[in-house]
Amino acid sequence: MIAIMQSEWIKFRSIFANWVLIVIGVLFPVVIATLVGSLGDIESGGGSRAGLSGDLADLVAGTTIVTVFLLGAAATISITAEFAHSTIRPTYAATPNRVRVLLAKVLLNTVIVGVVAIVAIVISWLAGSIILNSRGASVSFGEIPAIRSSLISGVFLAVIVSWFGFGIGLLIRNSPAAVVVVVLWPLLIEGLIALALTLSGADGATQWLPYGSAIDSVQVFPSDDGLGRPGALLYFGAIALAIVAIGAALDQRRDA
């Protein structure tokens, strides 16, 4: 398995698009946190019940969603590019057990996405908090426990979305189409479903929309009518892994 993962790492880092997505994914929340920390209003002490510390955590969590999408796209491309360029064929020829190959890819994506998400969140929080404290504000990571839970949840969300994207990539095998699904699923598909449920009077059912519920769970104070933390993440994670399992099962029956 180690040898397979080393091979997959070589292939992952050889895809230029992955590096572009990773760099933008790290820089985006850092730049936003830096700008808000430098230019934001600190006189009011924060506009939410969590104060400035909670506001900064919500900002980091919100901007990290963009990082999550980008890392999810990288995980998706890591499998769809193999089919597009037929590089999966020599891989399957060298390792006939396809499940081992796919498992190695999932584990590698999990490690990469987890590490990049941690780096993006930690640097964003440090940049914002250091600047705000230098301006006379009082921002602390340990001010309320929910801040810690929110930022940790952002890492788990990134990993789960990478599973989701990998599974969608296995099913569709087309990079543009799979990436569009990964990005638009919470923004468009689940949004339209939620609107339909709301108009039909079934508001309570919207909590079972997995992607949206998981995104909501990374906020410092998730919605009261949602699945909360960690329920939403566990729910979405189970669905993402189920999609990966379905994709792996279908891959056994399809030509490389």
Side-chain angles (χ1 to χ4, degrees), residues 123-144:
I123 296 179
S124 300
W125 172 265
L126 289 176
S129 60
I130 290 174
I131 294 173
L132 286 171
N133 286 330
S134 70
R135 296 177 60 201
S138 178
V139 174
S140 172
F141 181 72
E143 184 172 335
I144 56 175

Side-chain angles (χ1 to χ4, degrees), residues 2 12 29 46-47 62 68 74 92 111 120 128 144 155 157-158 162 186 195 210 213 218 231 245 247:
I2 299 298
F12 184 93
V68 168
Y92 281 165
V111 173
I144 56 175
V155 177
L157 177 62
S162 76
L195 177 60
S213 295
V218 304

